[in-house]
Amino acid sequence: MTKKQRALEIIERLKQEYPQAACTLDYDQAWKLLVSVRLAAQCTDARVNVVVEKLYERFPDVDALAEATVEEIEKIVHPCGLGNSKARDISACMRMLKFEYGGKVPEDFEALLKLPGVGRKSANLIMGDVFGKPAIVTDTHCIRLVNRMGLVDGIKEPAKVEKELWKIIPPEEGSDFCHRLVEHGRAVCTARTTPYCDRCCLRDLCKKAGV
């Protein structure tokens, strides 16, 4: 079985296992997802979802957040950790959206990468979830699982993993595939405990399971 064949079979099985997989960050506008994904670094999505409610009560739109001071933002987002750096990035990002993009999130990958605090992972998430474009989000779950499954070989650098996955994952499947990897990584193919291979729908396909 080639890597591409393995990938296609894994995609189909994960669809069966997690049919409703989606981003677990709460948002109803593109700029809010930008804020949340920055806050989610080294923080759980569940905590971010609670914190942003307070942030948006105080600063309900791009203009309001762009006009807020870093200190005002940090006071609210500090429970997410790394409060000062995250507040600085959010402030600079919202100001850039306000003054360069008319308050709208650009629908262009390279433009997204120019926004403060936005890397390839965040840009791919926006492209896939907000704009419905081909995207591969190489978060920690994705990197761990695709290495275990043998879709990539010992590659841990996100950009390199992304590059390898583009070769074998159909573009239209990438975004949902990555969301399903997150769910599978949390429920079965865990990081902090021994993976629950005995109840894994991919056991016979997985290199690590050795079946």
Side-chain angles (χ1 to χ4, degrees):
M1 182 180 284
T2 66
K3 284 184 179 180
K4 188 159 191 174
Q5 290 170 328
R6 183 189 301 274
L8 292 175
E9 181 62 26
I10 288 171
I11 287 169
E12 290 308 310
R13 292 196 194 180
L14 290 178
K15 281 183 182 180
Q16 295 295 319
E17 198 76 6
Y18 310 101
Q20 303 299 322
C23 180
T24 52
L25 292 167
D26 294 338
Y27 70 97
D28 56 9
Q29 297 178 65
W31 68 271
K32 290 183 178 179
L33 183 55
L34 271 180
V35 171
S36 289
V37 74
R38 180 65 188 95
L39 291 176
Q42 299 181 43
C43 182
T44 65
D45 289 359
R47 176 172 289 182
V48 171
N49 289 338
V50 171
V51 169
V52 293
E53 285 187 17
K54 298 176 182 176
L55 185 66
Y56 302 147
E57 282 176 11
R58 179 82 184 277
F59 307 109
D61 52 37
V62 170
D63 285 355
L65 205 46
E67 292 169 5
T69 66
V70 171
E71 291 73 24
E72 288 174 320
I73 297 171
E74 182 181 3
K75 190 176 294 185
I76 298 172
V77 305
H78 75 88
C80 294
L82 305 174
N84 186 258
S85 63
K86 290 179 179 180
R88 278 190 281 108
D89 284 342
I90 289 169
S91 174
C93 182
M94 294 302 110
R95 289 178 64 80
M96 194 166 177
L97 289 184
K98 177 180 179 179
F99 294 113
E100 295 190 30
Y101 295 102
K104 298 186 181 299
V105 175
E107 192 174 339
D108 176 80
F109 190 79
E110 295 304 320
L112 287 169
L113 289 178
K114 293 177 183 177
L115 296 173
V118 176
R120 294 190 66 86
K121 182 179 79 171
S122 302
N124 270 298
L125 185 64
I126 295 292
M127 292 299 288
D129 279 46
V130 174
F131 300 121
K133 300 291 182 66
I136 289 178
V137 181
T138 50
D139 66 358
T140 55
H141 291 289
C142 174
I143 294 168
R144 182 176 75 256
L145 268 62
V146 296
N147 272 281
R148 286 178 175 176
M149 295 169 183
L151 297 183
V152 301
D153 302 313
I155 304 172
K156 300 297 174 68
E157 186 180 326
K160 291 182 179 179
V161 171
E162 180 190 336
K163 182 179 179 181
E164 290 303 304
L165 290 179
W166 277 121
K167 298 175 184 177
I168 58 174
I169 304 296
E172 69 277 8
E173 299 285 0
S175 182
D176 287 342
F177 172 63
C178 292
H179 286 318
R180 292 187 173 101
L181 288 179
V182 170
E183 291 210 20
H184 195 62
R186 287 172 176 167
V188 178
C189 199
T190 52
R192 295 182 181 178
T193 63
T194 302
Y196 300 101
C197 297
D198 59 319
R199 63 174 195 244
C200 180
C201 64
L202 306 173
R203 188 165 182 247
D204 60 313
L205 293 171
C206 183
K207 291 283 190 180
K208 184 176 178 64
V211 177

